[in-house]
Amino acid sequence: MRTRNAVLGALAAAGLTGAMLTAVTPAPAQAAEGCNTNNARTVASASTHSRGIELRYNGTCAWGRIFGSPGDLVWVDRSLDRGRTWKQLGVTKISTGGSNHTDAFNNQGNLMRACGKASNYSEVACTTWW
């Protein structure tokens, strides 16, 4: 009986530990939408204040990329109604270096665009919807 209680106690503790790890370890956004950045191509581009902004696409998922300076921002918008309204996804800042990109998001058969902003200017530039 003592052995049975010890085994059940160990199993309960292991289950609780596993549940706690699951609760505090969020899945990355790329995995949540089943995306990767393999075999990508640039499908739309824009610029603002000498910053290049690109919408990258691999047949299923899209992401934004900016070439600029630390502090610049890039994100993607996804529209379910052909661009009348949209949801902003993956705002990402260049922390070091001269470029950065957002996570990849599944376009779900809808339109996407990439937008960016130079850190020292108020204007936002976006690619065309794609």
Side-chain angles (χ1 to χ4, degrees), residues 3-108:
T3 303
R4 179 177 171 254
N5 287 344
V7 169
L8 290 176
L11 288 174
L16 181 59
T17 301
M20 288 172 31
L21 288 175
T22 301
V24 298
T25 308
Q30 288 181 315
E33 293 199 334
C35 290
N36 64 56
T37 56
N38 299 336
N39 303 314
R41 61 190 167 100
T42 299
V43 294
S45 60
S47 64
T48 183
H49 300 285
S50 72
R51 273 66 168 185
I53 301 161
E54 295 180 339
L55 179 66
R56 306 277 292 160
Y57 182 67
N58 68 1
T60 304
C61 300
W63 59 97
R65 179 165 65 176
I66 190 167
F67 300 95
S69 302
D72 292 353
L73 300 174
V74 64
W75 62 90
V76 291
D77 293 333
R78 180 169 49 203
S79 176
L80 308 179
D81 58 9
R82 311 222 23 98
R84 284 184 290 138
T85 62
W86 57 86
K87 181 175 181 181
Q88 186 181 61
L89 306 168
V91 177
T92 304
K93 182 189 282 190
I94 297 177
S95 55
T96 61
S99 69
N100 204 351
H101 62 87
T102 69
D103 286 339
F105 296 92
N106 191 315
N107 76 340
Q108 302 171 352

